[in-house]
């Protein structure tokens, strides 16, 4: 019996000295106690020190800081090291954008385009029978995604514009009259009709298709066409002397209209809003890209 006890004690001491490497398994039968060494568990640690997580199933402590810090560094490096920069000109204005490649077929873009681009739309437009000269002040920051669905130069784009576009309009008389709602008002009585227009949408979704061929390893060109939904417009039109009585022309003589110039300006204002000029803003742009 003493021999059996001594054997069991010795086995227990030997097992305890190996506890740091593996958890022992002790099997006891009727005659003796024998300690078996369990398979050691390998634990790998990241170079980064700090936080650790205990895995109850494996019975080990693992380092989680390296993975978190590594992922954060990767994201930070991607943000501060863009894949490309581009210069552009088009119906949104003159501007530039920065691109970050998510993968071989996907690129995230952030850019801005603006300025006076009224001449790109012809510099004037018609609202029913009244022609207006236009001066525009565009500001169009945007965020979007460029996809290469076939992996070549063909691209599909989509995103959001935050438009802040102002239009100054001046009505042009025709034959000495302004024809509003099929009534010809004497232009001398009305005076100059001037106003402003702006789109109601604060966020404007857009979609484009285009091409982006690479000329060299770093340099390329691009072109895009599409549209952005800018929404309906708010208009304001004022007359030079709003209290002045206005006559209408019946083609032979002028007769009193019963309206003053300010009321005629309001009629022109309503026509402008009903026109919904550029509710769908066409997007046509060309530019050049440098890739890092």
């Amino acid at each position: 019996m003493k021999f059996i006890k001594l054997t069991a004690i010795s086995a227990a001491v030997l097992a305890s000295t190996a506890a740091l490497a593996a958890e022992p398994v002790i099997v006891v039968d009727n005659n003796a106690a024998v300690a078996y060494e369990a398979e050691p568990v390998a634990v790998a640690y990241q170079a980064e020190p700090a936080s650790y997580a205990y895995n109850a199933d494996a019975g080990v402590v693992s380092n989680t800081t390296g993975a978190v810090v590594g992922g954060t560094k990767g994201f930070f490096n991607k943000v501060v090291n863009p894949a490309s920069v581009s210069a552009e000109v088009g119906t949104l204005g003159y501007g530039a954008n920065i691109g970050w490649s998510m993968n071989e077929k996907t690129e995230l873009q952030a850019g801005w385009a603006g300025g006076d681009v009224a001449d790109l739309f012809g510099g004037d437009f018609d609202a029913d029978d009244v022609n207006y000269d236009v001066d525009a002040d565009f500001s169009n920051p945007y965020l979007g995604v460029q996809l290469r669905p076939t992996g070549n130069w063909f691209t599909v784009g989509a995103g959001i514009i935050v438009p802040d576009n102002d239009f100054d309009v001046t009505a042009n008389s025709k034959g000495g009259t302004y024809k509003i709602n099929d009534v010809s008002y004497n232009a001398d009585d009305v005076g100059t009709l001037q106003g402003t227009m702006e789109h109601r949408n604060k966020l404007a979704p857009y979609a484009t298709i285009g091409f982006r061929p690479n000329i060299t390893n770093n340099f390329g060109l691009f072109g895009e066409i599409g549209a952005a939904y800018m929404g309906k417009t708010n208009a304001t039109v004022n007359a030079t002397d709003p209290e002045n009585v206005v006559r209408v022309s019946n083609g032979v003589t002028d007769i009193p209209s019963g309206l003053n110039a300010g009321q005629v300006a309001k009629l022109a204002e309503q026509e402008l809003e009903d026109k919904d000029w550029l509710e769908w803003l066409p997007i046509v742009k060309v530019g050049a890209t440098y890739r890092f």
Side-chain angles (χ1 to χ4, degrees):
M1 179 64 68
K2 288 182 179 180
F3 177 77
I4 294 173
K5 289 182 178 180
L6 288 173
T7 302
I9 292 171
S10 299
V13 170
L14 289 173
S16 64
T17 60
L20 293 176
E23 183 178 349
V25 178
I26 301 175
V27 179
V28 180
D29 58 24
N30 292 330
N31 297 316
V34 181
Y36 296 92
E37 182 177 346
E39 189 70 24
V41 179
V43 180
Y45 296 89
Q46 298 283 348
E48 293 283 349
S51 75
Y52 296 85
Y54 178 72
N55 188 324
D57 293 332
V60 300
V61 177
S62 61
N63 185 343
T64 61
T65 302
V68 173
V69 172
T72 303
K73 284 182 177 179
F75 175 78
F76 181 76
N77 288 335
K78 185 179 287 292
V79 170
V80 299
N81 295 289
S84 65
V85 293
S86 302
E88 64 182 60
V89 58
T91 53
L92 291 177
Y94 310 89
N97 68 62
I98 301 174
W100 294 268
S101 291
M102 301 295 102
N103 53 52
E104 291 182 355
K105 295 184 178 181
T106 308
E107 184 174 275
L108 179 67
Q109 290 184 337
W112 178 90
D116 185 357
V117 295
D119 288 340
L120 296 175
F121 300 102
D124 68 323
F125 73 100
D126 293 327
D128 289 338
D129 294 313
V130 180
N131 178 263
Y132 290 88
D133 288 330
V134 183
D135 288 322
D137 184 14
F138 273 22
S139 178
N140 290 300
Y142 62 88
L143 181 66
V145 176
Q146 281 286 334
L147 303 175
R148 295 178 183 262
T150 58
N152 57 14
W153 55 266
F154 175 71
T155 62
V156 176
I160 292 292
I161 300 172
V162 186
D164 184 15
N165 301 326
D166 296 323
F167 304 91
D168 293 328
V169 296
T170 302
N172 296 312
S173 63
K174 184 177 181 180
T177 64
Y178 297 111
K179 192 173 182 180
I180 303 171
N181 294 335
D182 295 324
V183 178
S184 297
Y185 297 95
N186 187 288
D188 291 334
D189 296 340
V190 175
T192 302
L193 290 177
Q194 291 181 319
T196 61
M197 297 173 60
E198 62 179 2
H199 290 104
R200 297 175 187 174
N201 279 12
K202 301 306 178 185
L203 293 175
Y206 75 86
T208 62
I209 59 173
F211 64 94
R212 289 179 174 265
N214 292 324
I215 306 304
T216 68
N217 289 337
N218 300 105
F219 181 74
L221 302 174
F222 69 89
E224 294 177 42
I225 60 172
Y229 181 68
M230 310 298 283
K232 296 183 179 297
T233 55
N234 290 326
T236 301
V237 177
N238 297 302
T240 306
D241 185 1
E243 300 302 325
N244 194 43
V245 177
V246 177
R247 296 166 295 166
V248 297
S249 175
N250 59 11
V252 179
T253 185
D254 292 339
I255 60 176
S257 67
L259 301 177
N260 60 32
Q263 292 169 317
V264 173
K266 290 300 179 184
L267 294 175
E269 181 179 294
Q270 188 61 53
E271 273 197 344
L272 279 176
E273 291 190 350
D274 291 342
K275 173 68 175 178
D276 286 335
W277 187 59
L278 296 183
E279 179 178 1
W280 286 92
L281 177 68
I283 295 176
V284 180
K285 66 168 73 173
V286 294
T289 297
Y290 182 85
R291 295 193 174 279
F292 298 100

